[in-house]
Amino acid sequence: MINPNSYFVLHSSCIPVLGIKRSTICDLQRQIISFIPNDLFEILTAYKKKSFEEILDKFGESNRPVLEDYFNFLVNKELGFWASEIEVEYFDSINLTYESPYKITNAIIDVNQNSNHNFDLIFKSFEELGGLDVQIRAFCKLEYDILKEIVECSKGLRLNSIQIIAKFNDELTLKALNELLATNLKITLLVFHSAPEERYWSEEISPIILTKEKIDGKSHCGIISPDFFSVSLTFFSEAKSMNTCLNGKISIDENGYIRNCPSCKDSFGSYKDTDLQFVVSNTAFTNLWKIKKDDITICKSCEFRYICSDCRAYLVEPDNLYSKPLKCGYNPETTEWEDWSLNPLNLESKKFYNLI
């Protein structure tokens, strides 16, 4: 039996998010989500300062069993607790202000068989921007000498981490790779796609992964999936105010051109003769950073919007920057996922982006 004079308090890390058909509670500490009906969302937000007795007066005695079930669910899931009228005033909401010491926080470098990147120049240019997490995506095989160049050029710089994704090369042995990784701990992950098998070595210096998945071009990015959800305070806070893919990102495509992401149509010169500091101070470059989920058609009514990645390069409506990501198969009105590529309504957009 619930004490009628008690007040229910969600843990400060548990944030309710309203969707068009259902809502979620995002537990940013345990990094899990729980689904709740929209009626419960209303109770937790509109009546958060009301006692159980006051809530019962509002919804009527006939709804007592439902209300008790709601709150018992929350307690059993350890999402909140009951407090007295005096105690409830001591519990503050979590600060969801997004802050970063650097304007640029992450970068992508694309490589194909025709690329001739000067990694020393690229990394030194990145160094001027601050502490970045860098991902190198190679759609071709990277020979040992190229991997060694990447490792050597990035030594001693302020780069936070480097992930390398490249096509499988059977000439690269596990021993040689580990010896190379041991010389630079900034390399935190090696992934080899198009491999003959799935393998995972995690007990080595840095994880080395083989995957059968083929990544043969930039069009492989932009996929929206629960596999990529991030239930964390940093990501959630960023999603409330900024774009979850492009904010703080700079990219260099396979031809050396600077873009928001390699798949974006607009370029801002070549890294070989363009000052990256000038690029990131250009409002035309940073405008996409400000398109948050609450601005995007359909996304703004989705219960996953603050834990979900985004894509502004591939859109359902290519001429509308506030359109839903093309590669999202979720419908918040039905709460069902489908294969976006099989949706006939996406056919024209797929043709526009040469995804057929």
Side-chain angles (χ1 to χ4, degrees):
M1 180 70 68
I2 298 173
N3 182 342
N5 296 316
S6 59
Y7 293 73
F8 187 80
V9 181
L10 280 172
H11 291 299
S12 61
S13 61
C14 297
I15 315 295
V17 179
L18 179 67
I20 191 169
K21 288 295 183 181
R22 63 179 177 181
S23 298
T24 58
I25 294 179
C26 298
D27 187 334
L28 306 182
Q29 181 175 354
R30 293 183 295 175
Q31 300 191 347
I32 58 175
I33 62 171
S34 298
F35 295 102
I36 60 171
N38 286 350
D39 287 344
L40 181 50
F41 174 90
E42 179 186 3
I43 293 169
L44 292 172
T45 53
Y47 302 95
K48 64 183 298 184
K49 294 291 187 178
K50 303 294 183 181
S51 68
F52 182 72
E53 183 177 37
E54 291 174 306
I55 295 173
L56 192 60
D57 287 343
K58 171 65 179 179
F59 291 94
E61 182 64 31
S62 62
N63 285 311
R64 177 187 286 270
V66 174
L67 291 171
E68 289 183 341
D69 284 346
Y70 280 169
F71 286 115
N72 287 335
F73 166 81
L74 296 172
V75 171
N76 291 335
K77 297 281 281 187
E78 299 180 326
L79 298 170
F81 54 93
W82 291 102
S84 68
E85 183 177 6
I86 295 176
E87 291 172 332
V88 75
E89 298 299 327
Y90 290 94
F91 300 105
D92 294 327
S93 299
I94 196 169
N95 185 353
L96 293 176
T97 303
Y98 174 76
E99 294 179 331
S100 172
Y102 302 113
K103 189 170 186 177
I104 298 295
T105 60
N106 64 104
I108 295 176
I109 305 170
D110 274 359
V111 182
N112 65 17
Q113 63 272 18
N114 298 317
S115 300
N116 186 26
H117 291 327
N118 183 335
F119 287 102
D120 183 55
L121 177 58
I122 292 174
F123 289 149
K124 286 179 179 176
S125 297
F126 286 171
E127 166 82 352
E128 297 174 359
L129 300 177
L132 277 66
D133 294 305
V134 180
Q135 184 180 83
I136 298 171
R137 307 187 308 186
F139 312 124
C140 56
K141 294 179 181 179
L142 291 183
E143 302 300 330
Y144 182 84
D145 288 346
I146 298 297
L147 287 173
K148 186 176 181 180
E149 178 188 354
I150 293 171
V151 170
E152 292 296 324
C153 289
S154 58
K155 281 183 179 180
L157 301 181
R158 281 192 299 168
L159 304 178
N160 290 334
S161 68
I162 299 175
Q163 296 181 351
I164 301 175
I165 303 170
K167 188 173 183 179
F168 176 74
N169 184 351
D170 57 8
E171 294 180 359
L172 298 175
T173 66
L174 181 61
K175 180 181 178 181
L177 290 172
N178 277 314
E179 289 176 352
L180 188 61
L181 291 173
T183 67
N184 189 345
L185 298 182
K186 290 185 184 294
I187 314 297
T188 58
L189 179 66
L190 272 178
V191 178
F192 293 99
H193 63 82
S194 309
E197 60 178 337
E198 301 282 339
R199 293 290 298 271
Y200 181 80
W201 291 280
S202 62
E203 67 279 0
E204 309 296 342
I205 296 168
S206 295
I208 299 175
I209 299 172
L210 304 186
T211 176
K212 291 182 178 180
E213 182 180 359
K214 291 180 171 58
I215 305 176
D216 55 11
K218 61 188 179 183
S219 63
H220 282 267
C221 74
I223 296 174
I224 309 298
S225 164
D227 294 338
F228 306 134
F229 284 174
S230 179
V231 191
S232 69
L233 175 59
T234 301
F235 192 94
F236 193 98
S237 301
E238 184 176 22
K240 293 278 288 183
S241 59
M242 306 296 286
N243 187 272
T244 51
C245 178
L246 299 179
N247 179 47
K249 178 183 264 89
I250 192 167
S251 301
I252 294 173
D253 71 13
E254 61 265 33
N255 297 313
Y257 290 104
I258 305 163
R259 302 179 188 272
N260 287 105
C261 111
S263 293
C264 287
K265 63 180 181 179
D266 293 331
S267 68
F268 298 84
S270 169
Y271 76 86
K272 296 178 181 179
D273 53 25
T274 304
D275 185 350
L276 298 191
Q277 292 279 13
F278 173 79
V279 173
V280 302
S281 64
N282 185 342
T283 55
F285 183 80
T286 58
N287 275 340
L288 293 178
W289 296 6
K290 303 170 187 176
I291 302 179
K292 57 188 183 297
K293 286 290 190 178
D294 284 329
D295 300 326
I296 299 170
T297 304
I298 298 180
C299 293
K300 60 186 177 183
S301 63
C302 179
E303 66 272 26
F304 301 124
R305 62 188 177 276
Y306 302 135
I307 60 173
C308 181
S309 57
D310 186 48
C311 178
R312 296 297 88 199
Y314 301 106
L315 307 175
V316 171
E317 303 173 47
D319 294 329
N320 178 9
L321 276 178
Y322 296 90
S323 173
K324 174 186 176 181
L326 174 63
K327 298 183 183 182
C328 176
Y330 184 66
N331 184 346
E333 293 192 355
T334 63
T335 69
E336 294 179 347
W337 288 88
E338 64 178 14
D339 187 338
W340 70 271
S341 65
L342 300 180
N343 188 334
L345 298 178
N346 290 337
L347 181 59
E348 291 304 313
S349 297
K350 288 169 63 180
K351 289 180 180 178
F352 178 86
Y353 292 115
N354 297 314
L355 298 175
I356 297 178

